[in-house]
Amino acid sequence: MKKATYKVILPQADDKAKATIVLGGDLTINTAQELSVQLATIIGEHESFHFKISAVENLDLSFLQVIHSFAVSAKEMGKRVSISASLSREIELLIKNAGLSQILTTEI
């Protein structure tokens, strides 16, 4: 099984506005804690965040909880979070059937 991949693309030069977080691979309980720690280190550094999720092998509730928790915390700090996800049909159906698709489609 492939490990999760995380990449933070920082804003250019003096613009601290938006950081882009690119996620893929194994986005499950096996990697959720590591992702949570990485997100906690950057939440105070930028005004807005864009999650770009693609090339996902596996995805589970723990990953969705990390993203949702980050988005709620950022909102409480007056920051914005947007999410774009390019997922396989199987993963999209799994999320939809669980009633959790709003987590990956809303902008906070």
Side-chain angles (χ1 to χ4, degrees):
M1 181 179 298
K2 185 177 175 184
K3 186 177 168 131
T5 57
Y6 311 113
K7 181 178 180 182
V8 177
I9 302 170
L10 300 175
Q12 298 294 321
D14 296 332
D15 179 21
K16 291 184 69 174
K18 183 186 274 187
T20 301
I21 299 107
V22 180
L23 302 169
D26 182 37
L27 304 176
T28 65
I29 194 167
N30 299 323
T31 57
Q33 178 64 31
E34 180 183 342
L35 173 61
S36 182
V37 168
Q38 288 185 343
L39 293 176
T41 63
I42 66 169
I43 195 167
E45 298 176 4
H46 307 288
E47 296 303 315
S48 66
F49 301 88
H50 176 68
F51 285 88
K52 192 173 183 179
I53 304 166
S54 64
V56 175
E57 289 184 3
N58 294 301
L59 183 140
D60 69 10
L61 181 58
S62 60
F63 166 76
L64 295 175
Q65 288 173 321
V66 168
I67 296 297
H68 181 69
S69 176
F70 179 87
V72 169
S73 295
K75 182 179 179 181
E76 289 173 355
M77 297 170 73
K79 299 171 186 273
R80 296 183 53 85
V81 176
S82 61
I83 302 168
S84 63
S86 176
L87 304 171
S88 71
R89 181 80 176 132
E90 293 168 338
I91 292 176
E92 283 181 357
L93 283 173
L94 176 69
I95 293 169
K96 181 180 178 184
N97 290 338
L100 301 170
S101 56
Q102 75 282 358
I103 291 175
L104 296 180
T105 58
T106 58
E107 186 170 317
I108 296 175

